Every structure is written in structure tokens, then in C-alpha cells.
Amino acid sequence: MPEDNSNFFEKVHEVARQIPYGRVTSYGAIAKFLGAARSARMVGWAMNNCPDDVPAHRVVNRVGLLSGKHHFGGTNLMQQLLENEGIEVEDNQITDFEKHFWDPAKELDVL
């Protein structure tokens, strides 16, 4: 587990801010990019109550499930935000997940 949670959370937020419109990534992909491959849950904690400028709706679990949707006020807001970006969601899962997946390891330089 990362030593300094606040610093780790800031790095998570910085990666999430760079997810392009109409794309999604996973908690695990962010964790792996940050050199903490076994810390996907910590990424989830970082996304909970994150700053407003962080597009938390673009971070899902490893198979495209909207596992964080309950943090959006108990509504379908997460799904609505994704659908507004052209991402189809069915039964709380992104359809054609691979097409929309954005891998920070392939798209970003190390922070």
C-alpha cells in the first residue's frame, strides 16, 4: 500500500483528470500506472469525494462495471454522465468496454 495516502490520492486525481472525454479507465489501470498495482481499492477510495474537477464517472472496475455509482448520490448520474459522452451502459456495465478503455500506461508519461 502507498505510504502517503494524501500524496497517492493527489496522483490518482491527476491521472483521472487526463482521461479523455468519451473514454474510461479502471481503478487497477490507474494503480498499475502509479506503480502500486495491488492498490486498486486505494484508487477507489481516492475517487470517493474527489475534487469537482476530477471526472470520477470515467473510472470503473476492471470489466467495465459502474462499481462506484453509489457515490453519485444514489441516482443514475454516473451512467447519465457516461451516456452524455457517447458511452453506452447496459445493466450498470459499459458495452464495448475495450473500445472505450483508456490505458494511462500507454497514454501518459510517468507522473
Side-chain angles (χ1 to χ4, degrees), residues 22-93:
R23 304 289 298 279
V24 294
T25 196
S26 67
Y27 304 104
I30 292 175
K32 185 176 179 182
F33 174 74
L34 293 175
R38 300 175 66 80
S39 296
R41 285 186 184 210
M42 286 297 293
V43 172
W45 281 107
M47 298 309 298
N48 184 23
N49 297 318
C50 62
D52 289 340
D53 67 329
V54 176
H57 65 284
R58 295 181 188 150
V59 183
V60 297
N61 85 354
R62 63 186 171 85
V63 295
L65 283 171
L66 310 189
S67 55
K69 74 178 250 170
H70 59 281
H71 293 290
F72 286 81
T75 67
N76 280 331
L77 180 59
M78 183 178 190
Q79 179 172 335
Q80 291 168 346
L81 291 168
L82 290 168
E83 288 175 342
N84 288 345
E85 295 186 19
I87 298 173
E88 189 176 326
V89 177
E90 189 173 312
D91 294 326
N92 293 319
Q93 186 165 10

